[in-house]
Amino acid sequence: MFVEKIVEKKGKHVITVRDNSSVYETVKKFDETNNGAALVINANQQLVGIISERDILYKCYKSGRPIDGTNLVSELMTPADSIFVGKMEDTDLYLMHVMVEKQIRHIPILDKEE
């Protein structure tokens, strides 16, 4: 099945956070929207990374950082140059293979015109 069909069924609901958002604000947004990851954008609306619940949990835990207003998303996110981005024409099997091979849980899908 092509990803385009999955997106049609599931919807195009993607959340974004600013790179200068606090980790606490991001966790609150995850809770409010029932999402586990967000694309990170800068002031120019450019994609600069992705952040997930796991990024926050493990990076704060391992470094002893509190999950409060003192940590910024930019300090914990995976930078854009390390993100695998899927396309609408990709197949679900291909993306599943990438996720297993690269041990990643979230792949942003971009429209052809983006």
Side-chain angles (χ1 to χ4, degrees):
M1 176 185 297
F2 290 103
V3 171
E4 186 171 33
K5 293 293 181 193
I6 296 170
V7 172
E8 282 176 17
K9 288 180 186 176
K10 187 172 178 174
K12 293 185 176 186
H13 182 71
V14 175
I15 64 169
T16 59
V17 294
R18 286 281 309 278
D19 55 351
N20 63 351
S21 296
S22 76
V23 170
Y24 179 81
E25 290 169 341
T26 302
V27 170
K28 185 176 176 186
K29 194 168 192 176
F30 287 160
D31 183 45
E32 292 168 350
T33 62
N34 198 30
N35 277 287
L39 297 179
V40 182
I41 56 173
N42 63 16
N44 298 323
Q45 301 295 307
Q46 296 169 313
L47 178 66
V48 294
I50 189 170
I51 189 158
S52 70
E53 292 170 327
R54 289 174 68 103
D55 289 328
I56 295 168
L57 178 65
Y58 290 114
K59 290 176 183 173
C60 285
Y61 170 75
K62 286 183 179 180
S63 68
R65 294 176 171 185
I67 299 176
D68 61 13
T70 61
N71 294 299
L72 298 180
V73 167
S74 60
E75 299 169 335
L76 303 178
M77 71 181 189
T78 300
D81 60 358
S82 298
I83 298 173
F84 180 87
V85 177
K87 301 178 200 99
M88 290 290 203
E89 59 269 15
D90 289 337
T91 65
D92 55 350
L93 292 176
Y94 169 70
L95 292 181
M96 286 174 28
H97 173 75
V98 170
M99 293 173 83
V100 169
E101 183 179 294
K102 297 185 180 289
Q103 297 181 346
I104 54 179
R105 294 176 50 133
H106 303 280
I107 296 179
I109 306 296
L110 298 181
D111 285 333
K112 294 174 188 171
E113 63 268 7
E114 293 185 63

